[in-house]
């Protein structure tokens, strides 16, 4: 536990954002637009509300056991057997998010940039880098993520460049088919907003735990704003029909920027690609770290570091065997909500309820008592 060091609430906020952002604006705008059409912006609002509720519950649960991760205290709440089962579900979920992220990165690189290069090359390189980050520990990972925070600036730049081309008519008619498609469209972004419940694995290492709830809610709201800054310009400029057919609409939108007097601002996709590679690397690092650390705690090991590279190799194999093509991956990503909702919402709510009913909570250790 102590080998991970201490991180600030601000660093944890960016940690939560980085766990979601890269994939939130990669496949998700297309999936959401396919279902909600021109009302996709409203789907983002519903997804945000659900994400706020989920992360609020998770943060409240984490604060009841501020010196332990969810893997460590579930046996106390549910009994040894059920607690171990719940811990295994969390470890599996973290690894699932990690290897679907590996495949998404590989598909992005081979589909959009290097179609002649085997996909395993990109997955292997990304995984090795992530293994190195996980080996360095949470404190180093969070510090690197803070530097990557400049990625958010690119959203504002692109929005400013395409703002003049947005057509309000592309968002009409409003609620043409009722609220049903909007709810369906909210599932894909909602599945990613609730990944911010990764706070369940980070709370023991926060130096200012009293800010966990507020900053976790802020992380979800930041993600909501950035998501809207993707779907609103994309639909406003290209129309819902076009966006629903694109694999990577944000990259397509960036290629439409054309300023004759400032050609240096054209072809923004090259700049975005640099940040996106970093974003996918941080996300893989976040969930690999949570999964490896959780597995080590689940097995009762003194250190999780010996597991890092074997787990990395396993995740590469799973990412390669999990889907036949990018179409299958796209279909799987659209159904992630049904996989994510149990470990990120239902289970934390159940654990919090049990903890409240049984009156179970721990007091945080004094800094001078920490060893």
């Amino acid at each position: 536990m102590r080998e991970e060091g201490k991180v600030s609430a601000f660093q944890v906020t960016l940690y939560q954002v980085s766990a979601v952002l890269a994939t939130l604006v990669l496949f998700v705008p297309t999936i959401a637009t396919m279902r909600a059409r021109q009302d996709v912006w409203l789907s983002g609002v519903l997804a945000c509300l659900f994400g706020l509720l989920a992360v609020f519950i998770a943060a409240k649960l984490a604060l009841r056991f501020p010196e332990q991760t969810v893997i460590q205290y579930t046996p106390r709440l549910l009994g040894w057997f059920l607690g171990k089962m719940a811990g295994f579900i969390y470890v599996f979920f973290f690894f699932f998010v990690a290897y679907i992220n590996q495949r998404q990165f590989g598909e992005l690189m081979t589909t959009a940039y290097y179609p002649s290069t085997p996909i395993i090359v990109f997955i292997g390189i990304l995984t090795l880098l992530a293994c190195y980050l996980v080996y360095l520990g949470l404190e180093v990972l969070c510090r690197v993520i803070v530097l990557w925070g400049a990625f958010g600036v690119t959203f504002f730049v692109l929005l400013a460049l395409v703002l003049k081309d947005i057509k309000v008519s592309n968002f009409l008619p409003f609620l043409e088919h009722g609220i049903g498609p909007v709810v369906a469209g909210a599932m894909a972004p909602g599945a990613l907003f609730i990944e911010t419940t990764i706070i369940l694995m980070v709370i023991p290492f926060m130096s200012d735990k009293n800010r966990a709830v507020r900053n976790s809610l802020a992380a979800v709201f930041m993600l909501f704003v950035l998501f809207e800054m993707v779907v609103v310009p994309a639909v406003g400029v290209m129309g819902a029909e076009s966006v629903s057919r694109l694999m990577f609409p944000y990259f397509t939108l960036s290629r439409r920027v054309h300023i004759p007097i400032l050609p240096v601002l054209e072809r923004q996709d090259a700049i975005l690609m640099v940040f996106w590679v970093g974003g996918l690397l941080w996300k893989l690092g976040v969930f690999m770290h949570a999964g490896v650390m959780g597995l080590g705690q689940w097995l009762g090991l003194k250190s999780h570091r010996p597991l890092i590279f074997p787990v990395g190799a396993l995740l590469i194999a799973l990412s390669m065997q999990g889907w036949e093509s990018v179409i299958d991956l796209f279909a799987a990503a659209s159904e992630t909500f049904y996989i994510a909702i149990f470990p990120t919402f239902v289970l934390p709510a159940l654990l919090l309820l049990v903890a409240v009913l049984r009156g179970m909570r721990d007091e945080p250790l004094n800094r001078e008592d920490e060893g």
Side-chain angles (χ1 to χ4, degrees):
M1 286 283 289
R2 294 305 103 194
E3 68 183 25
E4 295 301 318
K6 284 289 184 179
V7 293
S8 68
F10 173 72
Q11 289 175 319
V12 172
T13 300
L14 292 184
Y15 181 89
Q16 291 172 286
V17 171
S18 69
V20 179
L21 183 58
T23 47
L24 180 66
V25 292
L26 190 61
F27 287 100
V28 173
T30 295
I31 298 171
T33 305
M34 287 173 59
R35 296 171 175 175
R37 313 303 292 181
Q38 66 270 15
D39 297 314
V40 65
W41 64 272
L42 190 55
S43 293
V45 176
L46 294 181
C48 176
L49 294 175
F50 182 64
L52 291 171
L53 176 61
V55 82
F56 177 80
I57 291 172
K60 283 292 188 181
L61 172 63
L63 285 175
R64 295 186 76 89
F65 307 93
E67 302 301 329
Q68 293 182 311
T69 70
V70 68
I71 307 297
Q72 294 172 304
Y73 57 74
T74 46
R76 294 171 54 193
L77 290 174
L78 303 178
W80 187 88
F81 179 75
L82 290 179
K84 284 293 186 181
M85 288 294 294
F88 179 80
I89 289 172
Y90 274 109
V91 171
F92 172 80
F93 174 69
F94 297 145
F95 286 156
F96 170 76
V97 175
Y99 76 76
I100 197 173
N101 180 66
Q102 288 174 314
R103 187 61 180 264
Q104 287 174 340
F105 173 74
E107 293 292 352
L108 170 64
M109 297 301 292
T110 54
T111 301
Y113 294 96
Y114 301 98
S116 300
T117 304
I119 190 172
I120 194 172
V121 173
F122 298 109
I123 293 176
I125 293 173
L126 187 76
T127 304
L128 285 174
L129 292 172
C131 286
Y132 180 64
L133 281 175
V134 175
Y135 183 82
L136 293 176
L138 178 65
E139 189 172 359
V140 174
L141 179 59
C142 285
R143 288 178 178 177
V144 175
I145 287 173
V146 169
L147 296 177
W148 175 78
F151 179 41
V153 177
T154 63
F155 289 81
F156 293 93
V157 172
L158 184 59
L159 176 63
L161 293 175
V162 301
L163 192 61
K164 66 182 186 307
D165 299 319
I166 294 178
K167 300 177 182 177
V168 177
S169 60
N170 285 336
F171 298 97
L172 300 175
F174 177 63
L175 292 178
E176 181 180 13
H177 301 291
I179 196 66
V182 175
V183 174
M187 290 184 178
L192 291 177
F193 285 150
I194 57 180
E195 287 181 2
T196 52
T197 56
I198 196 75
I199 187 70
L200 291 167
M201 295 297 294
V202 185
I203 194 73
F205 314 109
M206 288 183 63
S207 58
D208 38 2
K209 296 179 175 62
N210 59 313
R211 296 173 58 187
V213 174
R214 180 180 61 186
N215 283 45
S216 294
L217 295 174
V220 174
F221 185 74
M222 288 169 59
L223 288 166
F224 160 70
V225 171
L226 294 173
F227 176 74
E228 293 293 338
M229 292 177 65
V230 174
V231 295
V232 171
V235 174
V237 173
M238 298 182 286
E241 184 66 29
S242 297
V243 174
S244 66
R245 294 179 179 177
L246 295 171
M247 192 67 69
F248 310 115
Y250 195 55
F251 284 99
T252 302
L253 181 65
S254 67
R255 290 169 177 169
R256 296 175 66 96
V257 173
H258 179 63
I259 305 179
I261 60 173
L262 290 173
V264 71
L265 294 179
E266 298 186 18
R267 300 296 297 179
Q268 294 293 310
D269 56 314
I271 300 175
L272 292 175
M273 193 65 232
V274 174
F275 286 104
W276 235 279
V277 171
L280 292 170
L281 172 59
W282 311 147
K283 174 162 188 173
L284 179 57
V286 165
F287 281 95
M288 269 195 68
H289 178 268
V292 171
M293 181 174 63
L295 180 59
Q297 293 172 346
W298 192 80
L299 294 173
L301 302 180
K302 292 183 178 180
S303 175
H304 61 265
R305 284 183 171 177
L307 300 174
I308 294 174
F309 288 97
V311 165
L314 174 63
L315 293 179
I316 291 175
L318 290 173
S319 68
M320 292 298 298
Q321 296 297 320
W323 303 274
E324 293 292 333
S325 65
V326 67
I327 303 300
D328 294 333
L329 177 65
F330 196 84
S334 66
E335 303 300 328
T336 301
F337 178 82
Y338 302 105
I339 298 174
I341 190 172
F342 184 75
T344 59
F345 180 73
V346 176
L347 190 51
L350 175 63
L351 292 173
L352 181 60
L353 178 62
V354 172
V356 171
L357 292 178
R358 296 182 63 183
M360 297 181 65
R361 69 183 309 144
D362 295 335
E363 293 298 328
L365 295 175
N366 294 325
R367 293 301 299 269
E368 60 269 17
D369 295 336
E370 293 180 0

